[in-house]
Amino acid sequence: MHYNPQTDFIEISVRELCALAFKGGSLDNRVSPVNLYRRAEEGRETHEKLRALREAGKGLGGTAEPVRRPRGSEEIYLPAEPLPEPSYHAEVVLRHTCRMDGVAFSVSGRADGVWYHPAGGCVVEEIKSVTGNADYYARSPRESDLAQLTCYGYFLCAAKGLDRITLRLTYVRPGQEEKAYFADSVMTAEQLAGAYSAILRMILPRAKDLYERETALRKTAKRAIFPYNEVRDAQQDMIRECWRDMRAGKTLFAEAPTGIGKTMATLYPAVRCFGEGKCDKIFYLTAKNATRREAFAAVQKLNEATTPIRACVITARESACICETAKSGGNRLSTYCNPVSCPFAKGYYDRVESVIFDLLGSGKTVFSGLDIRAAAKKWQVCPYELALDLSDLCEVVICDYNYLFSPAVYLRRYFTEGIPHTEGHRYIFLVDEAHNLPDRARDMYSGALSLAEVTATQDAMHAWETRIGTDLIFPTEDAGYDEEDKTAPRLKSGSLDDLIGVLSRMSGTCAESTVVDTDGVRHGVSLDRSQPVTLCETARNLSTLCDRWLRRNQGHPLYAAVDSLAASLRSFRTAADYYDRRFATFVEVEGEDVRVKLTCLDPAGILRPILQKAEARVLFSATLTPNDYFADILGGDRDSVLVNFESPFPRDRLCVAVCDGISTRFEDRDKSCRRIMSCIAATVSAKRGNYMVYFPSYAYLEKVYTLFEKKYPSVKTVVQRPGMTYAEREAFIASFTPDSDELLVGFCVLGGSFSEGVDLPGRCLIGTVIVGVGIPALSSERNIMREYYDETRVTTDPEGGGEGEGYAYAYTYPGMNHVLQAAGRVIRRPDDYGVVVLIDDRYTAEPYLHLYPEHWEQISAVGDAPSLYEYLAAFWEGAKEEE
């Protein structure tokens, strides 16, 4: 449902109208989205087959015995006599316009079939494919199905001037098109008009809300006031660029250094574009909670500046859940989202409309996760699903990358083609911290299976079968599932035999590389650019079996084990579905375990069509260097716009020094530790304050930290450890206070949780030391990525020669991004001063000389630790004089 400002109509499809009008019942995740999609595909195929039969003149009459079913004042029956030879028309487009309570509606749809009889009269048919008993549905049709048919019947009567029409509702099971069941009813045009008005009135509150906001809000948004008194020069440049590219429907890749105010610089022009009618909804996508909070605050600022734009935050199901049974159950939360296991799921759709309009009537326009959670508790509904349904009535949706890019959890209501929610809607995507997206996307579309995991699951199954004396059917199994589930093969321990056999045989691909260590454990790896077809097909079959079992066996003692295996199988299936030349197969043998991973090397081809679901897209970060590399791997095209904006901070407030006399390559690390310790000491001796030192690995960190602590025991230090809890991470950051006169040195890992997304302004952090160039650890997967990009990304020199960019794409550029992110922890406000020290001899050579940001123009190589101290001391002395 959307508003068309050109016609002043609320436009909605018949299918969406009836789905909204007759929404009711409970949440039930026991039917997975994957199976729903598969059933939708089957339904389309079934419709096509049945239409072909109709066009051949088959199945246009009926021979079933009459069955009387009261429906208001009329009677619906199954006809006993076949109809005379009709003229059948498939996929008939119908549209009707009307006005109700000041709201103009344009409702359209496609009737599955219409035919006229030589003797007079007209029949309109709606076909529904079902997985259960088609005869049962024909005798007890769903309200929404009858409503769709009623709409088409009324539209035909109004268009053709008919005084009555025969409505035929046909149910058919896929593969049994010859045995379709149908029910006919005759209704007058007057009856249909009353029924149609009743259906429209059921969605009138939503339609009125949409109409009132669209006619008033768009005008306000079109002339939205910038919510701050001043606009920074670089921020103004970014606003203008975003606005221009959004209006032109382009993809913008923007490097926006810290301090520009990039959140508002993207949201503000997007809201203006909404006001101009260029989009209907804005999705602000982030990788971290901190950036979601910034986006939320930015929308609040816009509201305070008289643009009452609605926004909601969608948080992960695990964070939002308020069902104690689910949180303490030990299984994935989504498995409890059904009316049997969760009271907040039972009757959800009966209550949710009241909850939404209660929230909208509260006076708020921006809804945080806490607001939604509080309303969910008050009304006893699921907060996660409430956030999704509330987002329908919001102009801005703030959420994680997953809800657009992940094949497992993307928002199907918005991004699946061919469903009511997506029809006619236009979006703008704002992708914050876009430098995180390449690796996130690779993980989303990669999948792995472990022989050890599969074997352990089978052992647990076999133990159950031996003890109970039966297969895995749980005694309290719910019988309320469709016929397909009831007749399908059951999951047994033996069901895993085929997968175990195929995985075991995959170890043969590692035969040439397998070695046995001193403990007698074998190790081997193999890489292949072809898809293991047999393994993928076997995994697919078992995945279907596991998913079906999981839907029917909540509470089974083996549920967690099967669920874990099913999750691995689903991700493996996803990777198999997308597998092409941009993937590789990685097999690893470790003792008795065999691990097979389908690795996504290049996500560009997957991300590009996803990004094209929007009218315009802005992908931005403080570190998109080099921007052509990020545009390439993030799905940019020839029309993409690449811009690097200037830092808004005075360049002389940041001092960047390079200790270029030290090698931090893996083979040189042991002998470099003392020299690195000296460089750290020189840096922190130049001025007391808070510093962070970043290392390429925990092992390297530990060696230097041990030396530093031993030589400088009086210096206060904090150290990042592997697997820190949330409380431990918060305590680490809390150590960096602005009012302390102590010297504090934090030892961290480059690319870890403290190297980005941490805001420590002013004296909270006055310097960073970055050890190494940040390149990822050498690995077989990175090496095959290097080979792939060497083949597909070749730079051509003037003489016609060429060189692949594999090493740069697999190692150099990702590593330099980690460096720039860590360096960005310094200078967070216009009046900040700070230093960045880079330790590695490669920083003064190519390609690094061309990867530095423009505001690093005063970077200087200083050689050793004494020279470093003198250089930094002079900088701090100059800063003191300026202050």
Side-chain angles (χ1 to χ4, degrees), residues 416-482:
T416 299
E417 295 180 3
I419 64 172
H421 265 85
T422 64
E423 294 173 1
H425 287 269
R426 299 160 303 158
Y427 310 131
I428 285 178
F429 294 156
L430 307 178
V431 185
D432 199 352
E433 302 294 343
H435 66 276
N436 286 306
L437 186 53
D439 285 341
R440 283 280 296 271
R442 288 189 179 105
D443 288 342
M444 290 173 189
Y445 291 91
S446 297
L449 289 174
S450 164
L451 177 61
E453 180 188 13
V454 180
T455 304
T457 305
Q458 186 185 54
D459 290 344
M461 289 178 172
H462 183 68
W464 168 272
E465 293 166 346
T466 302
R467 181 161 47 89
I468 304 300
T470 184
D471 59 20
L472 300 184
I473 296 300
F474 194 47
T476 60
E477 169 185 334
D478 190 325
Y481 293 87
D482 58 50

Side-chain angles (χ1 to χ4, degrees), residues 540-712:
R540 191 184 310 278
N541 294 337
L542 181 59
S543 176
T544 301
L545 203 59
C546 287
D547 284 343
R548 185 180 296 119
W549 184 90
L550 289 168
R551 293 198 304 272
R552 304 182 68 186
N553 289 277
Q554 278 90 7
H556 195 290
L558 292 180
Y559 191 95
V562 177
D563 187 45
S564 176
L565 175 60
S568 298
L569 289 166
R570 280 192 291 272
S571 64
F572 198 83
R573 283 179 63 173
T574 296
D577 289 342
Y578 283 91
Y579 200 105
D580 58 17
R581 64 190 297 266
R582 297 165 297 189
F583 281 72
T585 302
F586 180 70
V587 183
E588 182 179 16
V589 173
E590 188 80 18
E592 297 303 314
D593 190 22
V594 180
R595 186 172 182 268
V596 181
K597 183 177 181 181
L598 306 183
T599 302
C600 177
L601 304 174
D602 179 6
I606 298 172
L607 297 179
R608 188 175 297 113
I610 295 175
L611 289 169
Q612 291 303 319
K613 293 179 185 291
E615 297 295 305
R617 304 137 293 273
V618 180
L619 294 89
F620 57 103
S621 169
T623 56
L624 285 186
T625 299
N627 54 15
D628 55 348
Y629 154 75
F630 278 102
D632 183 11
I633 63 174
L634 290 178
D637 53 32
R638 293 181 179 179
D639 294 329
S640 297
V641 180
L642 285 61
V643 180
N644 287 6
F645 295 100
E646 290 189 15
S647 172
F649 302 146
R651 298 186 179 187
D652 59 359
R653 289 177 176 267
L654 175 66
C655 175
V656 185
V658 179
C659 293
D660 59 340
I662 301 174
S663 169
T664 67
R665 296 169 182 82
F666 187 79
E667 62 272 17
D668 298 325
R669 288 183 180 177
D670 285 342
K671 60 186 179 185
S672 69
C673 290
R674 291 190 179 277
R675 297 182 67 192
I676 290 171
M677 178 195 67
S678 298
C679 289
I680 297 170
T683 302
V684 303
S685 298
K687 179 176 174 64
R688 295 179 69 83
N690 299 332
Y691 295 83
M692 281 195 184
V693 186
Y694 296 96
F695 292 85
S697 71
Y698 281 106
Y700 205 1
L701 179 156
E702 196 61 40
K703 289 176 182 178
V704 176
Y705 171 69
T706 300
L707 292 172
F708 187 90
E709 186 184 37
K710 184 176 181 180
K711 187 165 184 178
Y712 305 103

Side-chain angles (χ1 to χ4, degrees), residues 1 16 20 392 412-414 419-425 427:
M1 180 166 61
E16 185 180 6
L20 284 173
D392 288 343
R412 286 167 173 79
R413 66 179 61 206
Y414 296 121
I419 64 172
H421 265 85
T422 64
E423 294 173 1
H425 287 269
Y427 310 131

